[in-house]
Amino acid sequence: MSYTILIVEDNDNARLFIAEHLSSLGYELCEASNLQEAEKYIDSEKADIILLDILLPDGSGLDLLDRIVKLSQRPPIILMTGHGDINMAVEAMKNGAMDFLQKPIDFNLLEKSIKQACEVVTMRREIAEYRRSQQKPDFIVGKNPIMKHLYELAQRVAHTSSSVLITGDTGTGKEVLARAIHQIGPRKDKLFMDIDSGAIQTF
């Protein structure tokens, strides 16, 4: 599993030093020397993890942090701080940063922090994949014109509040179609309950 790390650091030598080390560990990298460049990478959703310096030429990294934490898919953020920025970094962690590292960067601490960030990214990916799999209908349309028409009808009725009666012989896929209607519609996050009416005893 690959991870892309965005390094936001205005000191060219420091940024290159960090980039070379992380590249040797197999990470994919993006580099930015200011907020404007960093925002382009963030807007394109290329970064899985962000190493963010606080003091940048065109503003404070904390302003970028405030913007990132409001995103629905926000990357874990590791702040890089100088001696005078530690209090700000601690406060930033309360506002959504995952960790902070004091300059000059200790690569052992950097690797440990990035490993934790990767675990967060992996967990989010697995959750997103699970949600997608739950939303994907199990109904296989194929190329048959009748099946295509049936699925079109299912899509139409799925977004209505009317009850739907599905009839057919045993084994023709009535339950599969019912599940497809449920998964397509606005109630896909609600419980789908399968009841075999033929097994219900009447008196």
Side-chain angles (χ1 to χ4, degrees):
M1 185 176 293
S2 63
Y3 304 91
T4 300
I5 301 173
L6 170 60
I7 305 171
V8 188
E9 165 64 73
D10 62 315
N11 185 301
D12 293 339
N13 290 331
R15 189 176 67 252
L16 177 61
F17 197 39
I18 295 171
E20 287 181 344
H21 181 73
L22 294 179
S23 179
S24 70
L25 297 176
Y27 295 107
E28 297 180 8
L29 302 173
C30 302
E31 298 180 39
S33 60
N34 54 54
L35 294 177
Q36 186 176 6
E37 292 176 3
E39 287 177 345
K40 292 179 180 178
Y41 286 114
I42 293 167
D43 290 339
S44 63
E45 298 182 349
K46 290 184 177 180
D48 296 313
I49 300 165
I50 300 176
L51 284 177
L52 178 61
D53 192 13
I54 290 182
L55 298 179
L56 294 163
D58 53 349
S60 171
L62 299 181
D63 293 334
L64 185 60
L65 169 67
D66 290 340
R67 179 193 163 189
I68 294 172
V69 296
K70 294 176 183 177
L71 299 176
S72 57
Q73 299 292 332
R74 67 177 185 270
I77 300 169
I78 302 169
L79 296 175
M80 298 183 290
T81 72
H83 294 284
D85 305 327
I86 293 179
N87 290 334
M88 287 190 293
V90 172
E91 188 65 26
M93 288 186 65
K94 297 178 183 178
N95 295 326
M98 194 195 79
D99 198 1
F100 73 91
L101 300 173
Q102 188 171 330
K103 296 181 178 179
I105 300 298
D106 182 323
F107 281 169
N108 289 327
L109 295 178
L110 175 62
E111 290 177 25
K112 181 179 178 181
S113 187
I114 288 179
K115 183 178 179 181
Q116 292 174 341
C118 288
E119 291 173 352
V120 171
V121 173
T122 299
M123 180 183 67
R124 289 177 179 173
R125 288 176 178 177
E126 291 175 349
I127 291 173
E129 180 59 32
Y130 174 76
R131 287 175 176 170
R132 283 194 294 268
S133 68
Q134 293 299 302
Q135 293 174 1
K136 184 178 180 180
D138 297 326
F139 191 77
I140 300 175
V141 179
K143 298 181 179 180
N144 188 301
I146 296 176
M147 295 299 291
K148 288 183 178 181
H149 177 64
L150 184 62
Y151 189 66
E152 289 173 0
L153 291 176
Q155 289 178 307
R156 288 167 57 185
V157 301
H159 295 281
T160 70
S161 57
S162 302
S163 298
V164 180
L165 175 63
I166 303 173
T167 62
D169 295 334
T170 300
T172 55
K174 296 186 295 297
E175 180 188 340
V176 175
L177 181 59
R179 287 183 180 276
I181 293 173
H182 175 75
Q183 292 172 345
I184 295 169
R187 294 178 290 277
K188 61 180 178 293
D189 295 327
K190 305 296 184 181
L191 176 66
F192 177 86
M193 185 174 294
D194 175 25
I195 300 176
D196 184 358
S197 59
I200 299 176
Q201 295 183 356
T202 58
F203 299 93

